[in-house]
Amino acid sequence: MSATLIDGKTVAAGLRAEVAARVTAFHAKTGRRPGLTVVLVGSDPASEVYVRNKGIQTREAGMRSDEIKLPETTTQAELLAVVQTLNADAAVDGILVQMPLPGQIDTQAIIAAIDPAKDVDGLHPVNAGRLAQGIDALVPCTPLGCMILLDKAGVAVAGANALVIGRSILVGRPVASLLLAANATVTVAHSKSRDLPALCGQADIVIAAVGRPEMVRGEWLKPGAAVIDVGINRVPKEDGKTRLVGDVHFASAVETAGVITPVPGGVGPMTIACLLQNTLTAACFRDGIDPKSL
């Protein structure tokens, strides 16, 4: 068997186009454009590239995009003051503080300080709690992207046995909640789980988000399973350079899975696209508009 590849680039491009059309409708209805502000502390090269791409795609979708760059030496109090200013700014619908933050700053304290209504990363405890209870909430972007990819691939989630490998607040826990809300039977595995290959062998859907290069082997998988690989790991090549691989051993998994996301080009492109959707959703909620009506 050779799995069908789920093209995240194509799906993300379609979602961005859809968001852009809905932003036009939002602007026609309200006279304003949704606004996203990204805060970057320090000069991590990967974060700078990511923030730049967010800005480009936000503007292409017809939204306002602002960036606040702060020095590596920024204190927690200074960053909290910036967040509070953005919370009070009526022109800002979405606030995203780029992670990771320097060691002197408590990441959880910053997340908790963001207005839940503007928390387009979906990490605030209020949004996490609403998601866990099945109430409308701003959902973390990568888990939301995983669910969209499953839907676009025609995967029947309701009634399926779904295995989530990883329990982080960024991916594992929220994607498990989304799968439960979609009526899957969900197992969450982690570093203490016994006999992970056996768990994989029972799963109709496997979402790998553990951060270990090529850990999930093809021979572990149930034939025909849907595999969503969230991992992005840089590993050395023989020539001294590096390459990107996922948490799934793609070469063996593609022979057993029914559908599978590649790395790169699978889940990654969905994250910014879902961020744009979350920003529009936040703007709609703030203006009392049903996002589905646009």
Side-chain angles (χ1 to χ4, degrees):
M1 180 183 296
S2 182
T4 298
L5 297 189
I6 304 175
D7 186 347
K9 291 182 180 179
T10 298
V11 176
L15 179 57
R16 292 197 306 271
E18 176 188 325
V19 169
R22 294 170 64 210
V23 166
T24 299
F26 177 88
H27 181 249
K29 182 174 286 192
T30 65
R32 73 180 190 89
R33 297 189 179 277
L36 171 66
T37 298
V38 178
V39 181
L40 175 62
V41 183
S43 56
D44 177 75
S47 292
E48 287 184 332
V49 170
Y50 195 49
V51 168
R52 184 163 59 249
N53 287 337
K54 286 176 182 175
I56 292 170
Q57 294 186 31
T58 303
R59 289 185 288 273
E60 287 178 346
M63 301 187 196
R64 291 182 56 255
S65 174
D66 294 300
E67 297 171 13
I68 297 175
K69 295 184 178 181
L70 302 173
E72 186 82 21
T73 55
T74 298
T75 66
Q76 181 166 312
E78 290 169 336
L79 182 54
L80 286 170
V82 169
V83 169
Q84 294 300 340
T85 298
L86 295 175
N87 283 344
D89 189 340
V92 177
D93 295 291
I95 301 168
L96 189 148
V97 178
Q98 182 66 37
M99 309 297 177
L101 292 169
Q104 74 273 14
I105 297 175
D106 180 350
T107 298
Q108 290 301 321
I110 301 303
I111 291 172
I114 297 172
D115 181 349
K118 298 186 178 187
D119 168 40
V120 288
D121 245 351
L123 298 178
H124 192 284
V126 167
N127 284 320
R130 290 176 68 89
L131 175 60
Q133 293 191 11
I135 304 171
D136 282 345
L138 291 170
V139 177
C141 302
T142 300
L144 181 58
C146 292
M147 298 302 294
I148 292 172
L149 290 175
L150 288 171
D151 178 65
K152 294 297 184 181
V155 176
V157 175
N161 289 325
L163 174 67
V164 178
I165 307 174
R167 53 180 169 175
S168 72
I169 64 168
L170 292 174
V171 181
R173 293 173 192 251
V175 82
S177 293
L178 289 171
L179 288 163
L180 281 170
N183 298 313
T185 300
V186 182
T187 300
V188 178
H190 44 76
S191 61
K192 303 297 183 184
S193 298
R194 296 177 182 173
D195 202 353
L196 186 57
L199 293 175
C200 285
Q202 299 168 7
D204 304 302
I205 299 169
V206 175
I207 297 184
V210 71
R212 296 185 182 180
E214 300 181 323
M215 182 187 75
V216 178
R217 312 296 297 186
E219 55 269 26
W220 296 2
L221 300 172
K222 179 179 180 179
V227 179
I228 305 294
D229 190 350
V230 182
I232 301 179
N233 309 285
R234 194 168 289 279
V235 298
K237 294 166 57 177
E238 291 182 0
D239 60 6
K241 297 180 180 180
T242 60
R243 63 187 179 98
L244 288 178
V245 301
D247 290 350
V248 177
H249 187 267
F250 184 82
S252 60
V254 76
E255 297 300 322
T256 305
V259 294
I260 188 170
T261 56
V263 177
V267 176
M270 295 298 297
T271 300
I272 295 180
C274 289
L275 172 65
L276 302 181
Q277 178 170 290
N278 275 356
T279 302
L280 175 59
T281 297
C284 287
F285 285 164
R286 293 183 66 223
D287 280 23
I289 298 171
D290 180 357
K292 297 176 183 177
S293 69
L294 296 178

